[in-house]
């Protein structure tokens, strides 16, 4: 993944200096105040210690647990295309993300970090879990949009070369904040081991939700998370995050 906080400042490979500044501590978004980018009037709905993620572009807000890192609004998170099939070199993108970083696993040496910097590689950010928003361009409705979002995010993050076994299920979605549309849950298993990965290759789960925003535009919300390890994101936490998605009026 490559983090762009300002596409106009990004250098070769789409790399932005703010990504490498925080990478060594696995916290590229961490300001002095984790709530710095959150309007004072927006309070979490899950629990008092949770954080609110907002996207003015897509009129969306949702809550994440206190140990996540929230990007300032305007950050674009992209996955590099490893297949060479896309002219822009981007496999997928999410706006205004929140990230839960990897902990433990293999530590990298300074030499290895230097190689990552030189290559502007996908390991600039190492995330166990992340969530963000995007539009639904090219989709015919919320059902189609949620399926496209989930499957494309799953492939971009876990399996661009179609080496694992994947499945997806789409169903109607609604929550207590008036969000209605469709949700697709996609999973991938049987991925080959990557000996160079900071953490072992694991199975993955992706959720894609699509609904109509205030202007009747298709809005997509996506979450990806590693599965199959001891501290994986629980179903309860996922349900709380998904249940907190709501319309956000920046004005």
């Amino acid at each position: 993944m490559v983090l762009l906080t300002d596409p106009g400042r990004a250098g070769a490979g789409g790399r932005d200096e703010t990504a490498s500044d925080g990478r060594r501590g696995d916290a590229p978004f961490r300001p002095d105040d984790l709530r710095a980018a959150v309007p004072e009037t927006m309070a979490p709905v899950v629990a008092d210690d949770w954080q609110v993620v907002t996207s003015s572009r897509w009129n969306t807000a949702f809550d994440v647990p206190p140990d996540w890192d929230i990007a300032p609004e305007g950050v674009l998170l992209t996955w590099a295309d490893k297949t060479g099939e896309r002219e822009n070199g981007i496999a997928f993108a999410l706006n205004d993300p929140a990230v839960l970083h990897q902990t433990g696993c293999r530590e990298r040496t300074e030499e290895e970090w230097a190689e990552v910097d030189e290559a502007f590689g996908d390991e600039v950010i190492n995330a166990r879990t992340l969530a963000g928003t995007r539009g639904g361009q090219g989709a015919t409705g919320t059902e189609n949009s949620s399926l496209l979002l989930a499957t494309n995010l799953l492939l971009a993050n876990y399996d661009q070369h179609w080496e694992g076994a994947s499945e997806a299920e789409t169903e109607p979605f609604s929550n207590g904040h008036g969000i209605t549309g469709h949700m697709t849950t996609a999973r991938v298993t049987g991925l080959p081991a990557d000996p160079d990965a900071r953490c072992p290759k694991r199975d993955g789960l992706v959720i894609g939700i699509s609904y109509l925003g205030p202007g009747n535009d298709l809005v997509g919300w996506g979450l990806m998370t590693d599965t199959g390890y001891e501290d994986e994101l629980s179903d309860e936490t996922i349900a709380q995050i998904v249940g907190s998605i709501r319309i956000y009026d920046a004005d």
Side-chain angles (χ1 to χ4, degrees), residues 170-210:
T170 304
E171 59 186 351
F173 171 80
S174 64
N175 68 13
H177 299 283
I179 301 299
T180 60
H182 284 83
M183 177 173 73
T184 296
T185 302
R187 298 178 184 274
V188 63
T189 58
L191 293 168
D194 181 0
D196 296 324
R198 183 177 183 187
C199 288
K201 198 77 169 183
R202 295 186 172 90
D203 300 337
L205 165 70
V206 165
I207 292 175
I209 294 174
S210 180

Side-chain angles (χ1 to χ4, degrees), residues 30-95:
R30 189 184 297 279
D32 294 334
D33 177 6
L34 285 178
R35 297 174 183 266
V38 179
E40 293 181 1
T41 56
M42 176 62 69
V45 298
V46 174
D48 290 341
D49 63 340
W50 279 45
Q51 305 175 86
V52 184
V53 186
T54 58
S55 176
S56 299
R57 179 176 183 182
W58 301 113
N59 297 106
T60 298
F62 62 95
D63 293 357
V64 294
D67 55 341
W68 289 44
D69 289 301
I70 299 177
E73 280 201 25
V75 165
L76 178 68
L77 191 62
T78 68
W79 282 256
D81 175 25
K82 299 178 181 179
T83 67
E85 298 176 355
R86 297 171 178 81
E87 292 185 4
N88 64 1
I90 297 175
F92 194 79
L94 280 176
N95 297 107

Side-chain angles (χ1 to χ4, degrees), residues 46 50 63-65 67-68 100 129 221 223 232-244:
V46 174
W50 279 45
D63 293 357
V64 294
D67 55 341
W68 289 44
L100 176 64
T129 300
W221 182 93
L223 177 146
E232 69 178 77
L233 198 66
S234 69
D235 291 341
E236 178 184 4
T237 300
I238 293 174
Q240 290 175 305
I241 295 171
V242 167
S244 73

